[in-house]
């Protein structure tokens, strides 16, 4: 698929996932679509974000968050945007898809197709998120954008998983929720383990008067 076709497909997935999110793709084709689609949100983020930074607007309405105004903060914003859109989010797609696959296929038996299908569905589910990235530097609107990202991503992800894995939307949704709970439980157990290791160690430390 060419650049134009990829953009039309990505936009179609966002607007009408029931029609377009069943598109069969391999890893490379899906990643190609993702990186091509993120070019416009990246440019829009620069056009919106850099003037806001240079004007000293407080993006997150937090005290002192925009004190280091100027070239340094602008450069940090650009680097952060690049790292987020083109490195961190793709890595997150691989990790999230792995968790969905473990929970959906091996724990819940909600589907039986391979990881590649789950990866493609997970990637499709991030498209609304990256589409709205340019709203994040705008005060107040960034809060609404985050809420929209979460809801929109969940809808697209549910439909994409159901189409890619040939399962019901209820099964896909349950697998997503179960995956989130699974991660929370693992994180809680890890924190409890760390806590159980630290507290006894602190208790046996010598105390000086």
């Amino acid at each position: 698929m060419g650049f134009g076709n990829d953009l039309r497909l990505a936009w179609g997935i966002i607007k009408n996932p029931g029609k377009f999110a069943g598109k069969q793709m391999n890893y490379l084709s899906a990643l190609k679509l993702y990186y091509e689609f993120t070019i416009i949100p990246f440019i829009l983020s620069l056009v919106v974000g850099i003037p806001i930074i240079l004007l000293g607007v407080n993006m997150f309405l937090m005290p002192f968050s925009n004190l280091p105004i100027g070239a340094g903060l602008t450069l940090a914003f650009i680097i952060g945007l690049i790292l987020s859109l083109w490195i961190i989010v793709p890595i997150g797609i691989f990790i999230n898809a792995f968790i969905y696959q473990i929970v959906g296929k091996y724990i819940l038996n909600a589907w039986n197709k391979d990881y590649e299908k789950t990866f493609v569905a997970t990637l499709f589910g991030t498209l609304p998120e990256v589409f709205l990235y340019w709203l994040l530097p705008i005060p107040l609107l960034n809060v609404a954008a985050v809420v929209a990202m979460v809801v929109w991503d969940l809808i697209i992800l549910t439909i994409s998983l159901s189409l890619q894995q040939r399962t019901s939307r209820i099964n896909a949704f349950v697998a997503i929720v179960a995956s989130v709970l699974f991660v929370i439980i693992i994180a809680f157990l890890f924190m409890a383990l760390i806590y159980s290791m630290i507290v006894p160690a602190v208790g046996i430390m010598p105390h000086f008067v």
Side-chain angles (χ1 to χ4, degrees):
M1 296 178 66
F3 179 75
N5 289 333
D6 282 342
L7 290 185
R8 282 190 289 272
L9 174 59
W11 185 238
I13 292 169
I14 289 175
K15 291 193 304 180
N16 190 355
K19 180 178 179 181
F20 294 96
K23 175 70 176 179
Q24 299 300 297
M25 308 183 82
N26 57 34
Y27 295 107
L28 292 179
S29 297
L31 286 170
K32 175 174 172 286
L33 179 143
Y34 172 84
Y35 281 103
E36 289 175 340
F37 181 70
T38 55
I39 292 174
I40 294 176
F42 176 78
I43 294 173
L44 287 174
S45 296
L46 295 180
V47 171
V48 172
I50 291 177
I52 288 176
I53 292 172
L54 294 178
L55 289 172
V57 177
N58 192 318
M59 294 182 189
F60 303 105
L61 301 180
M62 295 173 58
F64 315 116
S65 63
N66 268 22
L67 283 182
I69 298 169
L73 187 58
T74 302
L75 181 60
F77 173 75
I78 296 172
I79 293 174
L81 187 62
I82 292 172
L83 290 175
S84 179
L85 271 179
W86 293 334
I87 297 178
I88 295 174
V89 171
I91 291 175
I93 292 171
F94 278 101
I95 295 173
N96 290 341
F98 177 77
I99 296 171
Y100 296 145
Q101 183 70 0
I102 293 296
V103 174
K105 181 175 182 178
Y106 298 104
I107 297 179
L108 299 180
N109 292 318
W111 57 72
N112 55 22
K113 294 188 179 297
D114 59 21
Y115 169 77
E116 187 174 61
K117 303 297 184 185
T118 304
F119 172 82
V120 171
T122 306
L123 185 145
F124 287 171
T126 65
L127 295 181
E129 171 187 333
V130 297
F131 172 67
L132 297 175
Y133 243 61
W134 62 277
L135 293 175
L136 294 181
I138 305 175
L140 296 181
L141 275 181
N142 49 22
V143 177
V146 170
V147 174
M149 284 177 177
V150 172
V151 175
W152 206 351
D153 281 5
L154 179 59
I155 293 171
I156 303 295
L157 177 58
T158 300
I159 297 173
S160 298
L161 272 176
S162 69
L163 292 173
Q164 292 289 330
Q165 289 291 351
R166 298 294 189 268
T167 187
S168 69
R169 293 182 183 181
I170 293 176
N171 283 347
F173 180 78
V174 169
I176 295 168
V177 174
S179 298
V180 173
L181 293 176
F182 176 77
V183 171
I184 292 173
I185 292 171
I186 294 298
F188 176 80
L189 293 176
F190 178 77
M191 292 174 62
L193 176 63
I194 297 298
Y195 179 80
S196 67
M197 295 171 62
I198 292 176
V199 172
V202 173
I204 63 175
M205 289 179 63
H207 297 277
F208 298 97
V209 179

